[in-house]
Amino acid sequence: MKNLKVLISGASIAGPALAHWLHRYGCSVTVVERAASVRPGGQAVDFKGPTHRTVLERMGILEEVRKRATGGQDQTVIDADGRPRAVIPGEFTGGEIEIRRGDLAELLYEHTAAGCEYVFGDTITSLTETPDGVAVTFANAASRTFDLVVGADGIHSNVRRLAFGPEHDYVRFLGHYYALAELGEQVDGGEAVMYNEPGRMAAVGGPKASAFFVFASPELDYDRTDVERQRELLIDAYRGAGWRVPDLLTKVPRAREFYLDSLARVTIDHYARGRVVLLGDAAYGNTLGGFGTGLAIVGAYVLAGELLAANGDHRTAFARYEEQFRGYAKISQRGSAGPFLAPPSRLRIKMRDWTFKSRFLLRMLLKATDDFATDITLKDYASGS
C-alpha cells in the first residue's frame, strides 16, 4: 500500500474519513475540494449504535466527537398560533451522538491534514484511465497521475459524472427541496420548533440551522451556483404561509449562510468503474435520509480496509467493498424524508404528529433506525480478521 497514490474528490465527511484510513495504511493521499476551505456550519448530523461507535473509536476520534456534540434537543411541533401539537424527541432527530456537520468536517481535517495533501479551491476536469493509473486534469493545478480516484463529492458528484455518466442517469428527484439559512441571532437558540402546512415545513432553533425549510415542488431548473436565485425560489415557495414564516422570509436575502438543494436519491449498479470508485452520497446518497453520515463513515472504513486486505489490488478490493456494503446501504434506497417532514395534507400532518404521541409507534420507529444502523458485520482489518 505504501506505493499507492490515491486522489479523493471531496473534503466534507466521507473524503477525509477515507483519507484517515488510507494514510494509516501507508498510502499517499491527495484530497481535492472545490471550496476554498473546509466548509463550516450546515445541519446537524448524527451517529447511533455500536457500529458507528466502533468505527469512530477505531479512528481514535470518538471522544472528540462527543466533546463537540450538540447534546440533541427535543423539537416541538406547533400550529399557526404557536400552540404545541407534538414533541419529536431528541433521540429520534439526533440519534445517540449529534454534531454539526461543519464541526465534524473540521475535526476530520485536523486529524488528516498533517499526513495528507489537501488542495482547496480546485476541481477535477477530466479522468483518463491508462493501464497503470488514472491521468487527472484539474481546473487550476497541473495534471497528475494517480493509481486510484475516489469520488466522495456528494450527491451531485463530479467524479461520478466524469467516470460513469450524466447525473440524470443516477440521481432521482424525490419531489421536495430543502433549505438551510443562518438568519441571525434573533432566531438562534431557544426552543426548537417546527411548523407545518400541507407540503411545507419551517423550523427554527436547535442545531439544524437557525432556519430549516422543506417544501414539495415540481423539479426546478436553476443554476446550483446562483445562490441569489435560490433565495428567490425559497421565498416564492413560502408565499402566503402562516405563523412566523413571513418574518423569516424577510431575513432570507441577508442570510449569512444559505443552502438550497433537492431531496434526491442516488441509484447505481456498481460503485466502481476501473480505477475509479464512489463513496458516501456519491454512491448511495438519499438527501435528508438520516443515515448519510453514518454510511459515509462506515463506508470509508470498509473501502480502505478492503484495499488493505487486498494489498492494494483495486479490482479485488472494490468488488469486496461493494459486496460488504451494498446491503448496509440499502436503507438509502428506501423512502424519502420529504413527505414525513412536509406532509402533503392536514390529515397526513395529524397522522405524523400522532406517531410521536404514541409511545408504541415511537419505540417502533427508534428500533427500526437502530436496526438499520447496525446491519453490518465489521471486519477488524488492522488485525486481519
Short mmCIF file of all heavy atoms in Angstrom, two decimals, residues 36 55 68 72 80 124 248:
data_model
loop_
_atom_site.label_atom_id
_atom_site.label_comp_id
_atom_site.label_asym_id
_atom_site.label_seq_id
_atom_site.Cartn_x
_atom_site.Cartn_y
_atom_site.Cartn_z
N ALA A 36 -13.03 26.82 -0.98
CA ALA A 36 -11.74 27.43 -0.64
C ALA A 36 -11.16 26.90 0.66
O ALA A 36 -9.97 27.08 0.93
CB ALA A 36 -11.90 28.95 -0.56
N VAL A 55 -16.52 2.28 14.69
CA VAL A 55 -15.69 2.90 13.65
C VAL A 55 -15.06 4.19 14.18
O VAL A 55 -13.85 4.42 13.99
CB VAL A 55 -16.51 3.17 12.38
CG1 VAL A 55 -15.68 3.96 11.37
CG2 VAL A 55 -16.96 1.86 11.75
N ARG A 68 -17.60 17.62 21.00
CA ARG A 68 -18.15 18.65 20.11
C ARG A 68 -19.64 18.44 19.82
O ARG A 68 -20.23 19.20 19.04
CB ARG A 68 -17.38 18.67 18.79
CG ARG A 68 -15.89 18.91 18.96
CD ARG A 68 -15.21 19.18 17.63
NE ARG A 68 -13.75 19.12 17.75
CZ ARG A 68 -12.91 19.64 16.87
NH1 ARG A 68 -13.37 20.25 15.80
NH2 ARG A 68 -11.60 19.54 17.04
N GLY A 72 -28.14 17.05 21.39
CA GLY A 72 -29.50 16.69 20.99
C GLY A 72 -30.53 17.62 21.63
O GLY A 72 -30.27 18.24 22.65
N ALA A 80 -50.26 27.26 13.81
CA ALA A 80 -50.04 28.63 13.34
C ALA A 80 -50.07 29.65 14.47
O ALA A 80 -49.53 30.75 14.34
CB ALA A 80 -51.06 28.99 12.28
N ILE A 124 -11.63 18.54 -10.35
CA ILE A 124 -11.20 17.67 -11.45
C ILE A 124 -11.97 18.03 -12.72
O ILE A 124 -13.18 18.22 -12.68
CB ILE A 124 -11.44 16.20 -11.07
CG1 ILE A 124 -10.65 15.81 -9.83
CG2 ILE A 124 -11.08 15.27 -12.24
CD1 ILE A 124 -11.04 14.46 -9.26
N LEU A 248 -39.54 35.38 8.78
CA LEU A 248 -38.32 34.67 8.42
C LEU A 248 -37.90 34.96 6.98
O LEU A 248 -36.72 35.13 6.69
CB LEU A 248 -38.52 33.16 8.61
CG LEU A 248 -38.80 32.65 10.02
CD1 LEU A 248 -39.06 31.15 10.00
CD2 LEU A 248 -37.63 32.96 10.94
#
